[in-house]
Amino acid sequence: MTALLGFTTAKFPAWEAAVAETTGRHHLQANIEDEAIFWEAFDRGQSPSQSALLAGVGRSTAYRWLPERFEMLRSQKVTPKRCQALLRLTDQRCHSFERERLSRLAKERNAAIAAQHAAILSSSRYADQVAASTVSEAQRRRTERDSKYWQLMREGKSNAEACRLLGMHRRTGTALRRANNYQIPSLTPVPAATGRYLQSRERLQIADLLGLGHSMRAVARELGRHASTIKRELDRHRDVEGRYLPRTADHDARAQRARPKTHKLATNPRLRGLVQRKLNRCWSPDEISGWMKKTYPDDQSLRLCPETIYRALLLRESRGLHKRYATKLRTGRRIRKTRWRTRTGQGSRIPNMTMIDQRPAEVETRLEAGHWEGDLVIGVGSVSAMVTLRERKTQYGIIVNLPRDHTAASVNDAIIGAFAKLPPALKRTLTWDQGIEMARHEELTKETGVPVYFAERSSPWQRGANENFNGLVRQYFPKGTNLAVHSAKHVSHVMRELNTRPRKTMAYDTPAARFKAERNAPTAIWG
């Protein structure tokens, strides 16, 4: 220290002792002894001014000590009434001290939340940077090539033409299409937590969030994962001292997940022979699997599921069975026909649907009120949802929040509650898409008297009024957000704002005004 200051003095020991002593008090504060004299006099019944005079301090110091003592008592769970009695405060002064205390606590709490949020964002950005730095140049070029390929496909190019423009083999394009189930990927960015396995960036975030004191459930919410996923990750990869090291965890997880594994039919000649003999007799894979389980109950080496046999026969990269046995299947196919490529199959999951072409013709004219269109607005993770209803003539909209689930029973209850407040003349028809939430539409019709008509698949224009309303709703409840956090009061406020916005199609009248006019119209007009 003397070398840094460039001089020495005999006062160094005293200065060191003063620095080492941590009283928590500022050097300009009054002495602790003076403060003790002040409170001793105050407790004897002296006024703050008289107690300050006895302690030898100013009145401003005394009146500064009062709110400090009030704060100390409140931190010790002493009630405001008791603090007022102990400090002999007026009602106004006590309320003022309490307001200042609550305001300070709110500021500290908000600052802590903001700091926590900033730390989470910083952790996410750091994880993204680390993940991006691990991508090789070849992987980057491959990703860029794939994005260009899909952009050409969106522009209507064929696979052969897109591959020719990019200078790659046609089989490469076919492999890309097969990997995406022959569907062009959406331009909407996919969240990082959509894969089955945790990624390296997610493990980095887990370590950072645990360091910030987050619980496993809080970490799961930030990553968009289930809490049990985080628990299993920590149980598997924490060291003996309880520390979670993300790089080590990622390396161990990849080693434990080594692929490809040896095919069971390729390594077990006896099992393969049994399967081939039964296939020659035209047994189905399900019959083969069930027969082996019943015939050899104690031999685990002779167990396999029907899907293993199907994959060995129908997938090009599978091994273990010769493809000629595929002709022994009932369909006789040599390749698997994916369900999405055909419109036939097991049919609709909604029984007894009445299609939109059977809907009354007056619904299309929009001259009669009471014809509604409905849909669901889904929140992040498909957990929360909102029922949206829109009347075709007046453009009046209704929003009902479903914070916990959107099952058929919940949707029915929401619609029944919304329609219960309407007169019969404003409840004529309801048009919906073929979502599974309408599986109990017959119960809904029985309860409300409103017949439900279903639009064709992938035909949102048949419910144009509701689709437009959903777009307006998304201004207040964006995609990818949790809809469960919104209170019923806030949802009602948004619904009121939407219904009081003027519409160009109605000469800039508001839906609320048009709907009110229809509601107050004479019954003769309704009929």
Side-chain angles (χ1 to χ4, degrees):
M1 181 63 70
T2 56
L4 292 175
L5 295 177
F7 71 93
T8 183
T9 175
K11 295 183 179 181
F12 269 158
W15 290 354
E16 284 288 343
V19 171
E21 183 181 2
T22 55
T23 61
R25 297 173 62 84
H26 195 271
H27 69 285
L28 295 178
Q29 285 183 273
N31 294 329
I32 298 178
E33 294 79 8
D34 296 340
E35 187 173 354
I37 294 172
F38 169 82
W39 287 115
E40 183 180 353
F42 185 81
D43 292 339
R44 290 198 306 267
Q46 299 288 340
S47 67
S49 299
Q50 294 171 341
S51 301
L53 185 61
L54 292 174
V57 296
R59 292 177 68 253
S60 60
T61 302
Y63 281 99
R64 187 176 67 248
W65 283 338
L66 287 175
E68 292 177 358
R69 176 60 63 92
F70 181 88
E71 176 68 27
M72 183 191 70
L73 293 174
R74 291 293 288 123
S75 65
Q76 296 173 355
K77 308 300 182 182
V78 180
T79 63
K81 286 290 186 183
R82 180 61 178 163
C83 293
Q84 183 179 2
L86 291 174
L87 299 178
R88 304 197 299 276
L89 301 173
T90 62
D91 291 342
Q92 182 179 1
R93 181 65 63 85
C94 182
H95 293 160
S96 174
F97 286 175
E98 183 66 14
R99 281 197 305 271
E100 292 175 2
R101 174 179 174 274
L102 293 177
S103 175
R104 181 184 57 77
L105 291 177
K107 289 180 180 178
E108 292 176 356
R109 186 166 55 252
N110 293 336
I113 293 173
Q116 190 82 342
H117 183 63
I120 293 172
L121 292 179
S122 176
S123 170
S124 179
R125 286 194 297 268
Y126 174 73
D128 289 334
Q129 291 173 1
V130 172
S133 64
T134 58
V135 177
S136 64
E137 184 64 23
Q139 290 174 323
R140 187 190 61 77
R141 289 197 302 268
R142 194 178 301 115
T143 302
E144 184 177 354
R145 180 206 63 188
D146 294 351
S147 63
K148 290 180 180 178
Y149 172 81
W150 290 119
Q151 182 59 37
L152 291 173
M153 296 295 288
R154 292 187 191 98
E155 295 172 0
K157 300 288 192 301
S158 65
N159 176 55
E161 188 176 2
C163 292
R164 185 170 61 253
L165 290 173
L166 294 175
M168 63 184 189
H169 199 280
R170 187 172 59 185
R171 292 179 182 175
T172 305
T174 303
L176 280 174
R177 295 173 65 210
R178 186 186 303 114
N180 285 274
N181 289 330
Y182 297 90
Q183 295 180 357
I184 298 176
S186 172
L187 289 174
T188 305
V190 180
T194 56
R196 178 181 177 186
Y197 303 108
L198 289 171
Q199 304 297 320
S200 176
R201 66 175 303 280
E202 293 178 286
R203 290 189 167 94
L204 287 169
Q205 279 191 273
I206 290 173
D208 288 342
L209 295 175
L210 289 175
L212 292 172
H214 280 53
S215 65
M216 284 188 285
R217 292 189 179 276
V219 173
R221 282 195 299 271
E222 291 295 337
L223 268 65
R225 294 281 189 176
H226 199 278
S228 60
T229 302
I230 306 302
K231 184 180 185 305
R232 286 193 300 269
E233 173 70 14
L234 297 177
D235 290 345
R236 289 168 181 164
H237 301 299
R238 270 178 170 160
D239 60 14
V240 292
E241 298 179 3
R243 297 174 301 181
Y244 178 75
L245 305 176
R247 293 289 191 186
T248 305
D250 193 60
H251 176 270
D252 293 345
R254 292 179 185 277
Q256 295 164 6
R257 200 173 64 239
R259 293 294 188 275
K261 291 187 176 179
T262 309
H263 293 259
K264 197 171 186 178
L265 286 167
T267 59
N268 192 334
R270 185 187 176 196
L271 177 63
R272 183 171 63 253
L274 283 173
V275 172
Q276 289 174 348
R277 283 198 295 272
K278 301 306 179 183
L279 285 173
N280 268 331
R281 297 175 60 184
C282 297
W283 286 25
S284 70
D286 185 72
E287 292 168 342
I288 297 171
S289 177
W291 174 81
M292 285 194 296
K293 184 176 181 181
K294 184 176 181 179
T295 308
Y296 307 100
D298 300 326
D299 193 346
Q300 295 295 325
S301 64
L302 297 180
R303 296 282 184 88
L304 79 167
C305 65
E307 178 64 15
T308 303
I309 303 176
Y310 277 118
R311 293 178 67 88
L313 291 174
L314 302 179
L315 297 185
R316 183 176 302 173
E317 66 275 8
S318 293
R319 301 190 304 274
L321 292 175
H322 197 279
K323 304 303 178 185
R324 66 173 178 269
Y325 291 104
T327 58
K328 298 296 182 178
L329 297 176
R330 183 179 58 83
T331 59
R333 293 196 195 98
R334 291 178 179 270
I335 60 173
R336 170 163 280 181
K337 188 176 183 181
T338 55
R339 190 171 299 164
W340 73 267
R341 299 181 69 179
T342 177
R343 293 188 180 273
T344 61
Q346 298 181 2
S348 173
R349 295 174 292 178
I350 303 177
N352 304 324
M353 289 193 303
T354 304
M355 300 307 296
I356 194 172
D357 55 359
Q358 301 179 40
R359 192 174 65 176
E362 57 265 26
V363 178
E364 292 293 331
T365 63
R366 299 183 186 243
L367 298 177
E368 183 180 64
H371 300 289
W372 297 82
E373 295 176 2
D375 196 11
L376 287 184
V377 173
I378 307 297
V380 63
S382 297
V383 177
S384 57
M386 290 182 178
V387 172
T388 60
L389 300 167
R390 195 173 197 183
E391 203 283 319
R392 286 176 57 85
K393 179 182 178 182
T394 63
Q395 301 296 311
Y396 185 85
I398 297 175
I399 309 173
V400 183
N401 197 9
L402 302 176
R404 287 180 293 275
D405 59 64
H406 46 92
T407 61
S410 299
V411 173
N412 274 13
D413 292 342
I415 298 174
I416 291 170
F419 281 172
K421 306 173 185 177
L422 303 179
L426 291 181
K427 298 185 291 184
R428 300 182 185 274
T429 65
L430 174 62
T431 305
W432 207 277
D433 60 12
Q434 296 186 32
I436 193 61
E437 67 273 4
M438 273 291 122
R440 299 169 65 173
H441 64 95
E442 292 173 301
E443 298 177 19
L444 177 63
T445 300
K446 182 179 179 181
E447 187 71 22
T448 62
V450 179
V452 181
Y453 298 91
F454 290 88
E456 299 289 345
R457 290 184 182 274
S458 304
S459 303
W461 57 87
Q462 295 179 348
R463 301 177 300 99
N466 182 256
E467 290 292 330
N468 176 267
F469 186 63
N470 287 349
L472 299 176
V473 170
R474 282 300 191 186
Q475 290 181 315
Y476 298 86
F477 310 110
K479 291 184 178 180
T481 59
N482 183 12
L483 303 181
V485 301
H486 302 290
S487 63
K489 182 178 180 181
H490 177 61
V491 174
S492 299
H493 172 72
V494 171
M495 188 175 76
R496 186 165 54 252
E497 281 201 355
L498 291 175
N499 288 322
T500 53
R501 288 168 63 172
R503 300 289 191 272
K504 182 178 180 181
T505 56
M506 298 190 300
Y508 296 102
D509 282 348
T510 64
R514 291 285 184 98
F515 191 78
K516 183 177 180 180
E518 290 290 338
R519 190 167 189 162
N520 297 334
T523 308
I525 298 178
W526 289 347

